Amino acid sequence: MTSSSFLNLLSEIPTDNTKILNVIQNHKNELREYFKQIIADKQLADYIYLLFESAIVESQLFKNQWAVNKSKTIVNALINQNNGTETTTSIV
């Protein structure tokens, strides 16, 4: 399943269905940990994770990729700022 599939499912399940909730939370935690593995600055990794998640939601809402594209620009700027460079270093 994709992150967006989990978000769709989350809105559909009863609040007391902890089994499915745990699966979704585990997926989100694994994704967050993935960002922390590839980005040395853990706070920056959390920022990028949140941008990733919000971009997915917004792209679904507006049926458009503008949020994904804008998030890529923001992520690249954050990485470049963190590296102290003005190059086009990119992870996306």
Side-chain angles (χ1 to χ4, degrees):
M1 291 185 97
T2 63
S3 285
S4 60
S5 298
F6 280 122
L7 290 174
N8 292 338
L9 182 61
L10 184 59
S11 67
E12 303 281 332
I13 64 169
T15 55
D16 62 346
N17 191 331
T18 57
K19 185 175 181 179
I20 294 175
L21 180 61
N22 287 336
V23 169
I24 296 169
Q25 289 175 336
N26 286 338
H27 168 74
K28 298 298 184 178
N29 284 330
E30 288 172 4
L31 181 60
R32 189 172 170 215
E33 286 305 312
Y34 171 75
F35 283 117
K36 289 181 178 182
Q37 289 174 11
I38 63 172
I39 301 166
D41 183 321
K42 301 312 176 206
Q43 184 173 3
L44 179 60
D46 277 340
Y47 293 163
I48 292 171
Y49 164 77
L50 291 171
L51 281 167
F52 176 85
E53 289 294 332
S54 64
I56 290 171
V57 171
E58 292 299 302
S59 67
Q60 284 185 315
L61 174 66
F62 290 104
K63 307 293 185 218
N64 192 298
Q65 292 296 305
W66 76 266
V68 172
N69 295 331
K70 182 57 85 174
S71 291
K72 285 181 179 181
T73 301
I74 294 167
V75 166
N76 287 324
L78 288 170
I79 289 170
N80 289 336
Q81 181 182 17
N82 192 55
N83 290 336
T85 64
E86 294 299 322
T87 63
T88 57
T89 304
S90 174
I91 65 164
V92 289

